């Protein structure tokens, strides 16, 4: 009996030993692939697990540096030591890395670093024929990007979130670039923007924020394959501008394949939106800057609105509706709009005088949404309807034939709100659903959601 138990125990011990090192017995390429899903700091730390793993991290094709992983919460004064240790770590990894072609190179930092090191890291990534390059560093000084950045034929995704000086050369060759995000990467002149975009023939997604310098007068985006465009506060320092007219710019879009357009920016001096026949969705939050209509920007606003006439889903902030009212331009026909959302943006209330025009000029409207109040409202009040609801003389055709759903994301029960909702219930002939998010007038709002359908009886539910 004893010998049998010993044999079983020995057999069990042997099986455990065999199972202990299964991962190390995997092929090096597979181990490297597994490690590629970890931040580089953690991947390097796995070298203590096995002698075979000691160099495995040098073979994987993704590098992800994040200095927050080095933070020690028990040390209050750690900025200098963090910068030193992080710089040393990245230098060592970049030097020892053996892969000739990188899939991803991510560098996300909370501290600023010596420019020579940053440029060396980016240059090493480009030398490794990287496909996805993400740089996010809050640098104190501007970074002059390596010229190889504009001729890297392997780049597919490029995201720059740092104070780059975009000195774009005369020749740009980025044949595979499809996604380009620029945050604080500042162009010094009009030609630099045009050259960069034109050098990306397959560009599909573009996002720009804080990229316009004081000498830029025309922001031209000519990209035949572009389907998504986001423009957010193009001029990085316009809140410091004393003379708005001297630092304005025009926006020119030559993007025939564009499906999504998002703009949150001040009113530009002029707009040229050509061939947006495929535009499916637009989210617009264009706001006035000081007393900009002392200069005549009305024509620019009207041109912009006409350029959106083919859109299907449309979001207009209260800021932009105020701009429209100041511009006093004629509302174009939105023949393709099926979804319309009106919502606050900067804490201001929607100018409801334009609501009638929007309904009359959106004959195929199916869904109408009144958006959520902005979180910057310090009290959480501010009646949603500050101007009296003036119903149209005749019922808009969209209410008679197409409007099926209405949603109020913030409803406080003001008289104008009640009158508007009553108007819809009485005149929307094919209405199927009304969603109401009711909130009381106190700062700590109570949220109660009501969903009314035609089958349940609108008037019965409303009278209750």
């Amino acid at each position: 009996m004893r010998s049998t138990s010993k044999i079983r125990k020995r057999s069990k011990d042997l099986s455990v030993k065999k199972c202990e090192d299964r991962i190390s017995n995997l092929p090096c390429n597979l181990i490297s692939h597994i490690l590629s899903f970890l931040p580089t700091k953690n991947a390097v730390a796995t070298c203590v697990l096995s002698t075979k793993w000691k160099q495995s991290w040098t073979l994987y094709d993704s590098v992800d540096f994040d200095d927050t992983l080095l933070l020690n919460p028990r040390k209050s004064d750690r900025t200098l030591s963090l910068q030193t240790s992080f710089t040393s770590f990245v230098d060592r990894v970049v030097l020892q890395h053996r892969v000739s072609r990188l899939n991803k190179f991510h560098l996300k930092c909370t501290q600023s670093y010596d420019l020579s090191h940053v440029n060396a890291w980016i240059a090493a990534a480009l030398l490794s024929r990287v496909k996805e390059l993400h740089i996010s560093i809050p640098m104190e000084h501007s970074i002059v990007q390596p010229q190889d950045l504009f001729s890297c034929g392997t780049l597919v995704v490029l995201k720059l979130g740092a104070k780059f000086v975009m000195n774009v050369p005369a020749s740009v060759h980025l044949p595979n670039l499809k996604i380009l995000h620029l945050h604080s990467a500042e162009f010094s002149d009009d030609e630099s923007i045009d050259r960069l975009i034109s050098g990306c023939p397959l560009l599909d997604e573009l996002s720009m924020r804080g990229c316009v310098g004081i000498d830029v007068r025309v922001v031209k985006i000519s990209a035949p394959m572009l389907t998504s465009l986001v423009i957010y506060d193009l001029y990085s320092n316009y809140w410091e501008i004393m003379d708005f007219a001297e630092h304005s710019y025009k926006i020119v879009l030559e993007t025939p394949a564009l499906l999504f357009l998002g703009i949150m920016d001040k009113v530009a001096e002029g707009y040229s939106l050509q061939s947006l026949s495929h535009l499916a969705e637009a989210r617009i939050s264009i706001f006035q800057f000081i007393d900009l209509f002392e200069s005549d920007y009305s024509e620019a606003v009207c041109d912009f609105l006409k350029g959106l006439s083919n859109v299907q889903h449309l979001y207009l902030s209260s800021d932009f509706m105020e701009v429209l009212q100041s511009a006093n331009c004629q509302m174009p026909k939105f023949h393709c709009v099926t979804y319309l959302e009106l919502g606050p943006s900067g804490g201001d209330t929607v100018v409801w005088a334009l609501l009638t025009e929007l309904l009359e000029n959106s004959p195929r409207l199916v869904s109408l949404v009144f958006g959520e109040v902005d979180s910057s409202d310090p009290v959480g009040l501010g009646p949603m309807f500050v101007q009296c609801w003036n119903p149209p003389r005749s019922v808009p055709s969209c209410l008679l034939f197409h409007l099926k759903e209405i949603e109020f994301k913030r409803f406080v029960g003001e008289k104008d709100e009640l009158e508007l909702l009553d108007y819809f219930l009485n005149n929307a002939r094919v209405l199927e659903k009304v969603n109401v998010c009711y909130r009381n007038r106190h700062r700590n709002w109570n949220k109660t959601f009501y969903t009314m359908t035609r089958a349940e009886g609108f008037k019965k539910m409303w009278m209750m």
Side-chain angles (χ1 to χ4, degrees), residues 232-233 263-265 283-287 315-322 342-350 371-377:
Y232 190 96
D233 290 348
I263 296 182
M264 184 176 180
D265 198 23
R283 298 187 63 84
I284 309 302
S285 182
I286 294 177
F287 50 88
Y315 170 90
L316 302 177
S317 73
S318 61
D319 295 321
F320 184 58
M321 294 187 74
E322 289 180 356
L342 308 175
S345 175
D348 297 324
T349 51
V350 176
E372 176 65 274
V373 69
D374 189 83
S375 59
S376 61
D377 186 347

Side-chain angles (χ1 to χ4, degrees), residues 180-192:
L180 177 61
H181 291 187
L182 301 174
H183 185 179
S184 301
E186 189 172 297
F187 294 96
S188 56
D189 52 49
D190 304 352
E191 291 74 18
S192 293

